Amino acid sequence: MTTLQVDELKQRIARFPRKDLIYLPTPFRKLENLSRDLGPPEIYIKRDDLTGLAFGGNKSRKLEFIIADALNKGADVIITWASLQSNWCMQTAAAARRFGLKPILVLFKTSDLPLEYDGNLLLDHILGADIRIREAEKGKVVSEEYAREILKEVVNEVKEWGHTPYVVAVGGSMPGYSMEKPLGAISYVAAFAEILEQAAAEDIDITHVIHATGSGATQAGLTVGAKALKENVKVIGISVSDEKEAFAQTVSIISGETEKALGLNLGIKREDLIVLDEYIREGYGVVNREVAEAIRLLFIREGIVLDPVYTGKAMAALVDLAKKGFFKKDDKIVFFHTGGTPALFSYRQKLVELLK
Ligand SMILES: *Cc1c(COP(=O)(O)O)cnc(C)c1O
């Protein structure tokens, strides 16, 4: 299939209902100091931490479509799950409240962070979300099988109240439950078109997009966008949780569904899905010195704050890859800031220890 025009792809995306929730386009800028420190290549940033819903982040882009779907289905309650300091859950609660839906969050204790009202959990509480906290294995994302039983109970409870629940999988990524289409990934196909237009306006020929990858929709959407619009752009997902083959499998399912939903036939193959898993290091949500130093580096050099679970790891990866000579001199790299900054504060003790 030949490369689609941006407008044609945008029209296909526009067939999916969307609620106005965030400020678009998010800023796209060159990181002058970081490019000097690590480059060449030149390094740019896409600021999806500045979407404007709560503290921003990639989940709010997805929720524009997901909330619209929930409202169209007559739901008045949104149910989702993830870990205790989940950005996804907080953003879902904020988006749900904004449109009059009641959020129920099942939060799993996947790290040994103390159970304090801090970071996202504080924001969930301020939003008045119905919070259900459950035990889970540490250093891993909670498995779907494990979550499923608990969800079933919550769904039954909501139905007994006489309400209509909309259940959406962690991260708004995998289609299933109430969300039939990969709406999260579709919003990231749009995000790729957005970067491409911003880059074109400044005559920047981007070669790589690098971002933290978790439940898979961001990478699936960006990869579909790249394959459809500018095939030579490599999308590199830095896994924060899963080993790369398992993760590529997830992204492959979501990107296949995304192609189908948009009427595309791009033939995305395993080799189009670039996942690096060596930066998971000690596990999901575990901060080490590399991550702490990457957070410090971007804050000092560019005044931009990263988070410890996702973007800090992705930045640590970018620093390492640049130092190893992974990129070519005239490459143009876009670091995708996917948000997550409220979680920074719940890691205060660890960060202070590591940055002594
Ligand atoms: C959820 C999240 C990601 C990963 O996005 P997925 O679409 O779930 O892969 C990256 N960064 C932050 C800050 C997140 O909250």
Side-chain angles (χ1 to χ4, degrees):
M1 174 157 187
T2 53
T3 338
L4 277 179
Q5 296 295 318
V6 174
D7 287 344
E8 153 92 37
L9 188 62
K10 279 163 73 176
Q11 276 168 22
R12 292 188 190 198
I13 294 167
R15 290 182 201 143
F16 292 86
R18 186 175 75 84
K19 283 285 173 196
D20 233 339
L21 199 59
I22 65 176
Y23 306 130
L24 292 173
T26 57
F28 171 78
R29 296 281 186 282
K30 185 171 178 192
L31 295 173
E32 296 284 355
N33 287 334
L34 202 70
S35 295
R36 228 169 280 139
D37 293 349
L38 302 176
E42 288 178 1
I43 302 168
Y44 295 80
I45 193 164
K46 175 67 171 163
R47 298 291 304 271
D48 268 17
D49 58 319
L50 298 180
T51 50
L53 176 74
F55 288 81
N58 65 340
K59 302 311 177 323
S60 44
R61 216 184 253 278
K62 303 176 181 185
L63 284 158
E64 289 205 295
F65 291 86
I66 295 168
I67 292 287
D69 190 42
L71 291 170
N72 288 338
K73 287 179 171 144
D76 54 4
V77 175
I78 287 205
I79 303 168
T80 193
W81 77 95
S83 53
L84 195 62
Q85 278 294 337
S86 165
N87 303 311
W88 157 248
C89 287
M90 184 278 285
Q91 291 261 311
T92 301
R97 284 303 200 196
R98 168 95 173 58
F99 285 94
L101 299 152
K102 177 185 160 70
I104 303 184
L105 308 176
V106 183
L107 302 178
F108 292 94
K109 291 170 74 181
T110 55
S111 76
D112 48 20
L113 285 180
L115 217 175
E116 280 176 328
Y117 284 101
D118 194 0
N120 284 309
L121 190 59
L122 171 64
L123 299 171
D124 296 340
H125 186 70
I126 294 173
L127 285 162
D130 180 340
I131 301 168
R132 320 283 177 96
I133 293 168
R134 296 288 185 275
E135 290 300 327
E137 194 181 340
K138 313 294 177 220
K140 291 213 160 71
V141 286
V142 73
S143 79
E144 168 121 26
E145 294 73 52
Y146 186 66
R148 192 173 289 143
E149 277 309 300
I150 298 167
L151 283 174
K152 225 186 270 170
E153 285 167 31
V154 180
V155 167
N156 288 338
E157 189 185 329
V158 170
K159 286 183 176 161
E160 273 167 31
W161 299 340
H163 287 270
T164 310
Y166 183 94
V167 184
V168 56
V170 48
S173 290
M174 190 57 89
Y177 301 99
S178 311
M179 184 183 83
E180 287 131 13
K181 295 279 161 48
L183 299 175
I186 289 170
S187 77
Y188 269 85
V189 180
F192 187 85
E194 191 178 299
I195 306 179
L196 215 53
E197 288 185 316
Q198 288 173 311
E202 296 182 46
D203 243 338
I204 300 157
D205 189 17
I206 63 173
T207 58
H208 297 76
V209 175
I210 181 164
H211 69 96
T213 194
S215 61
T218 301
Q219 183 160 10
L222 293 173
T223 304
V224 169
K227 194 85 176 171
L229 299 173
K230 196 166 188 289
E231 208 169 346
N232 61 336
V233 176
K234 292 192 168 64
V235 176
I236 304 173
I238 305 302
S239 176
V240 300
S241 51
D242 293 291
E243 161 285 306
K244 66 180 169 197
E245 282 315 317
F247 192 76
Q249 182 67 25
T250 303
V251 177
S252 159
I253 295 169
I254 302 170
S255 54
E257 292 283 327
T258 305
E259 283 193 60
K260 230 191 304 169
L262 293 173
L264 303 170
N265 184 14
L266 306 167
I268 290 177
K269 293 185 287 296
R270 174 65 187 87
E271 61 261 34
D272 297 315
L273 305 173
I274 310 170
V275 182
L276 302 183
D277 61 5
E278 55 266 47
Y279 300 98
I280 300 173
R281 303 287 197 243
E282 293 85 352
Y284 175 67
V286 184
V287 181
N288 62 17
R289 186 173 306 277
E290 263 179 302
V291 173
E293 279 171 1
I295 294 172
R296 173 175 268 174
L297 175 70
L298 201 69
F299 201 2
I300 290 179
R301 296 298 280 153
E302 302 286 350
I304 298 171
V305 180
L306 297 171
D307 84 289
V309 182
Y310 292 95
T311 54
K313 266 188 186 165
M315 182 51 73
L318 174 56
V319 170
D320 187 57
L321 291 171
K323 284 184 178 160
K324 278 183 184 154
F326 178 89
F327 302 109
K328 292 204 285 294
K329 253 210 186 97
D330 45 7
D331 281 347
K332 306 273 185 288
I333 323 290
V334 180
F335 178 80
F336 216 114
H337 194 327
T338 43
T341 45
L344 184 68
F345 301 97
S346 50
Y347 283 85
R348 67 172 76 77
Q349 220 163 4
K350 193 76 201 171
L351 288 167
V352 170
E353 253 169 56
L354 290 167
L355 294 173
K356 267 203 191 104

